[in-house]
Amino acid sequence: MARSRITTCLDTLERYDEALVLKRKIYARRVATLGVSNERTLSIGNNLAASLLHVEIWDDAKKLLGDQLLPAARRSPGANHPLTMTMKKNLAAALFMNPEHTRDDLLEAKIIMQDV
């Protein structure tokens, strides 16, 4: 909990790179101890993904959301849960906002947003 507060402070101070390093560690520790399907782990992972989007690390955000978080979130807490919906929006953003996006990325982002 204290580390999460530190990341919030670092973000407030616009020290995004430092916050991102700590967020990655927090997420990795949560996955190791509670698993990716734990709702708090999913929330922490989504916060990490949002930070990756903020600093424009599109591919990492896309992989985290698409390969780890969303598959677990669809199982539990469920496909229509607000956290899962937020993850879907973040994945669509990672696909759409990447300046190197492909036509397939844009189509996938559109399909995701139609589901939200």
Side-chain angles (χ1 to χ4, degrees):
M1 184 75 119
R3 287 185 181 201
S4 293
R5 290 188 182 138
I6 292 170
T7 63
T8 301
C9 290
L10 290 169
D11 282 335
T12 302
L13 295 170
E14 298 181 4
R15 293 167 55 182
Y16 304 116
D17 292 336
E18 292 173 69
L20 191 56
V21 169
L22 190 52
K23 287 177 185 182
R24 286 182 192 266
K25 288 179 183 179
I26 293 168
Y27 175 69
R29 178 171 286 169
R30 272 297 211 184
V31 170
T33 57
L34 298 174
V36 72
S37 296
N38 176 274
E39 194 166 340
R40 184 71 184 128
T41 302
L42 290 170
S43 180
I44 289 169
N46 188 57
N47 290 340
L48 171 57
S51 294
L52 290 166
L53 291 173
H54 184 80
V55 295
E56 301 179 357
I57 304 176
W58 314 113
D59 290 337
D60 285 3
K62 179 181 163 183
K63 288 176 191 168
L64 177 62
L65 288 159
D67 296 346
Q68 294 179 37
L69 297 174
L70 272 168
R74 285 184 180 113
R75 289 188 300 273
S76 175
N80 295 319
H81 189 275
L83 178 58
T84 308
M85 293 298 201
T86 301
M87 288 179 187
K88 289 177 185 178
K89 289 182 212 174
N90 284 341
L91 178 56
L95 293 164
F96 176 78
M97 294 172 64
N98 184 345
E100 298 176 7
H101 62 250
T102 65
R103 178 174 164 75
D104 288 342
D105 290 337
L106 295 178
L107 290 172
E108 185 178 352
K110 180 182 176 185
I111 291 166
I112 291 168
M113 290 309 294
Q114 288 172 339
D115 185 44
V116 174

